[in-house]
Amino acid sequence: MESPSMLAPTTNVVSASSSLPFVHRYYVLLKAHYFLFFSAFGILYPILNITLRGRGLSTTEISYANLIIPFLVFFTNPLLGFVADRSRRYLLTFNCIIIIITCLYSILFILPTIKSNYIQATIVYDNQLGHVLDFCASEEVATKCSSRSECGCSYTSLCQTTNSPFNFTFTMSSKDTRQPKKSSIDTSEFSTCGIQYRVPVDKFIHNYTSHLYSNIDNTSLLVVCEITCSITHFCHGTRQSQQALYILLYALLFIVGTNLLSIGITIGASIGFATLPRPDIFGEQRVWGTIGFGLSAFAASRIYAHYKTEYVYIIMFSITTIICICVTSFIRIQPHKRRRKKTNDNIQNNEQEIDDISVNNITIETKNKDASQFKVAALIPLLKKIDVIVFLSLTFIWGMSYAALDPYLYLYIDEIAPCQSHVIVGWMSMISASAEVIALFLASRMLRLLGMNTASIIILIAFAIRFAGYYFIRRPYFLLIMETMHYFNFGILYVLIAQKADSIAPPGLAGTLQGVVYGVSFGLGRGIGLIASSIIYTRLQSRLLFLVFALFDTIAALIYSTYFLLQAKFSKKSAQLNNTMNIPKIVIESETIINEEPLLISSSTNKIDNKIIEQ
């Protein structure tokens, strides 16, 4: 008859094994969480700026709104991450954020369009140019529609005289559209409407010349016209009164909603790490978010093409977020993660049968902390470590590099191929999403194989190659090749940042540090990058922006490569010095596997363990 002590380990194994389907059920819920959340993200985010422009906001106003968001992310991401850590209610925090986002964006779509006057013009006679269409409007009136004349955008002038109304279609070019009128427009009106246009129109109105003269004395009549574009939001005049409040409201809803959407990504990463027993499988769960993003963005565009109303986007977004909230509510957060400790007997008996459950508990030592350890002050010692400083500086540089991709890459594509820009951007999104899916599946293996230092250098090199391709490749469709670099620039980068932040975070502050790292990269870094990019893009040649960032990332790769090589040599010399001085051997890997504590092994400890075994 077997003793109870011999039966105990078997009982533990059976109990743990029977719980495996229960654990895998939460894996399915976590995959569904990422799929639904990023599906909602993909439905709405790509068209938000287009929606704002269609509602009457100018490109300058939209640019200012986008510029504010990264700096807001930098401050608010760590704050809400700390709230989630302090309360340990990641799911509740996430769901509250999603509810607020849905309400804000719903209000944004319900608000009325910014009301603008038609562009008022007159037809006058100029001794040098002949009959000209004289009007005041923004610079976009000449550039946006004229560059899309091949794809059907045209200008129409609806004119009214005492004889009869008439209309004609005309074109504008850089040679005849920006000739300033020295009189008739005061300074206040000039600053309000933009610049003065005097467009020669004799070749467009030869069928209507009889309408321009009086039948009595053949003198010129005052002909008043209204200018419109076949694409409405490219042509608008001065705004009507009391529209500033709506402009501010649109900007506020867009900024706050987009900022909370970014915070939702950070809290979602914290949910993943708090749910999974092993952080190295995070990428396998997160990849479903990328799949959802691509599928939902394509599906939303097809449905919009059928119904021709922008309300399709907000309806699909709201339905998806409601389902996401329901699914997220059933995810189970491990309540004592990073605080459990298994005895050696349990480790030896259970490590083969219940690897997915026990590995994290085996490698993480007991962390019994009081309330003071949940304070943000616990992060301050991290800032004194050179490795942490190097990591944060890398995330900052990566964030700056992203500023040249979003939104300036798409603006550049719209300039060099305005009639094919939507198709090219669609292909870019599909290729980059596919590369990201592959990267998220392979990220953990690649990081274990290469190590985080080497992977960080490869990410910088990938950025440099990508920007160099945008600069040197002149044919728009050939630029699609560069989107394969998204494998490193987001797939590997995202998992590396998330796993590294989770591994170095003090107990109970994983979400806070995730917010800090995300804020440094996509908040502060991207904000500084946007400022630099806007200066280069507007004051220099737009294409030159990509050459500047290619050189920037190349120099950064050289600097960090030198640092990592010197660090490796110093560590090797220190280990050799310790061996010659007979100092107890301390095995600490330079790039420790995520969530594994360094193993302290000494000769004295081994001797004691051997004696215990012999007894």
Side-chain angles (χ1 to χ4, degrees):
M1 185 175 180
E2 296 178 341
S3 64
S5 60
M6 296 176 64
L7 289 172
T10 304
T11 304
N12 290 337
V13 171
V14 173
S15 176
S17 300
S18 63
S19 66
L20 283 176
F22 181 74
V23 173
H24 287 300
R25 186 179 71 184
Y26 287 100
Y27 288 179
V28 173
L29 288 174
L30 190 61
K31 289 182 175 70
H33 160 81
Y34 286 126
F35 181 87
L36 291 168
F37 173 64
F38 283 94
S39 291
F41 194 100
I43 289 169
L44 202 58
Y45 183 76
I47 56 91
L48 276 178
N49 286 287
I50 299 175
T51 300
L52 292 178
R53 187 172 64 179
R55 293 304 181 93
L57 274 72
S58 68
T59 301
T60 302
E61 292 163 344
I62 296 173
S63 299
Y64 287 155
N66 280 278
L67 189 61
I68 294 172
I69 293 172
F71 295 100
L72 193 61
V73 168
F74 175 70
F75 290 105
T76 57
N77 253 356
L79 178 62
L80 284 186
F82 173 72
V83 171
D85 281 330
R86 186 65 183 270
S87 63
R88 301 295 296 174
R89 298 183 180 275
Y90 297 109
L91 304 181
L92 179 61
T93 304
F94 177 86
N95 285 340
C96 289
I97 289 174
I98 294 300
I99 291 173
I100 295 173
I101 291 172
T102 305
C103 293
L104 292 176
Y105 283 152
S106 298
I107 296 173
L108 186 146
F109 275 79
I110 294 173
L111 283 178
T113 303
I114 304 298
K115 293 182 174 59
S116 299
N117 298 311
Y118 290 107
I119 298 176
Q120 301 293 324
T122 57
I123 296 180
V124 297
Y125 185 80
D126 185 277
N127 293 329
Q128 296 179 350
L129 302 176
H131 287 95
V132 296
L133 198 60
D134 189 4
F135 63 96
C136 179
S138 66
E139 185 177 352
E140 295 176 356
V141 171
T143 59
K144 294 297 183 181
C145 188
S146 59
S147 64
R148 290 163 176 78
S149 58
E150 295 180 3
C151 14
C153 191
S154 60
Y155 301 93
T156 300
S157 180
L158 307 175
C159 302
Q160 181 69 44
T161 67
T162 54
N163 295 334
S164 61
F166 66 96
N167 63 79
F168 61 91
T169 301
F170 65 95
T171 59
M172 288 191 285
S173 67
S174 58
K175 296 180 179 180
D176 57 15
T177 57
R178 302 183 191 179
Q179 300 179 23
K181 186 177 180 180
K182 298 181 180 179
S183 61
S184 76
I185 300 291
D186 61 21
T187 305
S188 60
E189 186 179 354
F190 181 83
S191 61
T192 301
C193 70
I195 60 177
Q196 194 70 27
Y197 290 90
R198 304 195 78 189
V199 183
V201 293
D202 275 332
K203 60 181 178 180
F204 305 114
I205 61 172
H206 58 274
N207 293 330
Y208 306 103
T209 53
S210 60
H211 294 74
L212 304 179
Y213 301 99
S214 171
N215 293 330
I216 300 175
D217 54 5
N218 202 31
T219 58
S220 296
L221 293 173
L222 177 63
V223 182
V224 179
C225 306
E226 291 182 353
I227 297 175
T228 59
C229 289
S230 56
I231 301 178
T232 307
H233 54 264
F234 287 156
C235 289
H236 56 82
T238 57
R239 292 189 176 115
Q240 297 180 9
S241 60
Q242 300 180 349
Q243 298 301 302
L245 178 61
Y246 289 107
I247 296 172
L248 292 175
L249 192 54
Y250 269 114
L252 181 63
L253 292 171
F254 171 72
I255 291 171
V256 177
T258 306
N259 176 58
L260 290 176
L261 206 59
S262 300
I263 295 173
I265 297 176
T266 306
I267 302 297
S270 299
I271 291 174
F273 285 113
T275 303
L276 297 171
R278 296 197 338 261
D280 61 313
I281 62 174
F282 170 74
E284 298 175 9
Q285 322 303 315
R286 170 60 179 80
V287 70
W288 289 94
T290 302
I291 296 173
F293 183 94
L295 292 177
S296 65
F298 177 78
S301 65
R302 295 297 88 200
I303 296 174
Y304 172 79
H306 178 73
Y307 288 101
K308 301 294 184 182
T309 174
E310 60 187 8
Y311 291 107
V312 163
Y313 293 105
I314 191 61
I315 292 173
M316 292 180 63
F317 178 82
S318 301
I319 293 173
T320 307
T321 53
I322 291 172
I323 300 174
C324 179
I325 291 170
C326 295
V327 170
T328 304
S329 301
F330 287 97
I331 295 176
R332 187 181 71 173
I333 299 294
Q334 298 185 44
H336 302 295
K337 190 176 181 184
R338 299 166 77 79
R339 299 193 193 123
R340 302 176 191 172
K341 184 179 181 180
K342 295 288 185 180
T343 62
N344 290 334
D345 290 338
N346 289 335
I347 294 173
Q348 293 173 358
N349 287 289
N350 297 338
E351 62 180 353
Q352 294 181 356
E353 292 83 356
I354 54 171
D355 180 70
D356 286 343
I357 298 176
S358 62
V359 168
N360 193 51
N361 299 328
I362 296 170
T363 57
I364 300 178
E365 64 180 2
T366 304
K367 299 180 181 180
N368 296 320
K369 304 293 181 179
D370 55 20
S372 63
Q373 290 172 311
F374 287 92
K375 295 180 179 179
V376 180
L379 295 177
I380 296 178
L382 290 177
L383 300 179
K384 299 178 182 179
K385 298 180 179 180
I386 184 65
D387 289 342
V388 175
I389 295 174
V390 169
F391 171 61
L392 292 176
S393 64
L394 269 170
T395 60
F396 179 84
I397 290 174
W398 292 334
M400 286 189 64
S401 300
Y402 260 104
L405 294 176
D406 182 16
Y408 291 103
L409 173 61
Y410 295 149
L411 292 176
Y412 174 68
I413 296 297
D414 198 47
E415 290 178 5
I416 62 175
C419 296
Q420 295 84 30
S421 59
H422 286 76
V423 177
I424 295 174
V425 169
W427 278 105
M428 281 184 164
S429 300
M430 189 186 73
I431 294 173
S432 60
S434 300
E436 183 182 329
V437 167
I438 298 172
L440 290 174
F441 270 118
L442 302 177
S444 59
R445 298 177 185 176
M446 189 169 183
L447 291 175
R448 284 197 301 266
L449 178 65
L450 298 177
M452 289 195 171
N453 292 344
T454 304
S456 299
I457 300 302
I458 292 176
I459 291 171
L460 289 172
I461 294 174
F463 269 122
I465 294 173
R466 191 172 185 176
F467 288 129
Y470 294 149
Y471 179 78
F472 289 106
I473 297 176
R474 303 305 298 269
R475 295 187 178 182
Y477 278 98
F478 286 179
L479 295 176
L480 298 176
I481 301 173
M482 295 297 101
E483 295 310 292
T484 56
M485 292 295 103
H486 205 68
Y487 177 93
F488 300 101
N489 295 153
F490 188 84
I492 303 299
L493 181 152
Y494 180 83
V495 177
L496 188 154
I497 287 179
Q499 290 189 359
K500 184 69 175 180
D502 184 75
S503 67
I504 64 178
L509 288 175
T512 305
L513 192 60
Q514 292 280 355
V516 170
V517 173
Y518 191 93
V520 168
S521 181
F522 298 99
L524 184 62
R526 185 167 177 266
I528 299 297
L530 281 172
I531 294 175
S533 298
S534 62
I535 295 174
I536 298 172
Y537 194 87
T538 55
R539 297 188 180 183
L540 303 175
Q541 295 180 4
S542 56
R543 184 164 150 261
L544 189 62
L545 170 67
F546 304 114
L547 179 62
V548 172
F549 272 89
L551 295 174
F552 172 75
D553 285 299
T554 301
I555 295 172
L558 293 174
I559 293 174
Y560 283 101
S561 297
T562 304
Y563 169 77
F564 290 140
L565 288 174
L566 294 176
Q567 183 190 44
K569 290 182 179 180
F570 178 78
S571 300
K572 186 176 181 180
K573 290 182 179 180
S574 299
Q576 293 175 351
L577 182 62
N578 291 339
N579 290 333
T580 56
M581 297 178 63
N582 294 323
I583 297 177
K585 185 179 179 181
I586 301 178
V587 181
I588 303 179
E589 295 184 3
S590 60
E591 294 182 13
T592 309
I593 298 176
I594 304 304
N595 272 350
E596 284 191 0
E597 298 293 335
L599 302 177
L600 302 180
I601 304 173
S602 66
S603 57
S604 60
T605 304
N606 292 335
K607 291 178 181 179
I608 295 173
D609 293 340
N610 292 334
K611 289 180 180 180
I612 294 174
I613 294 173
E614 291 174 358
Q615 293 176 358

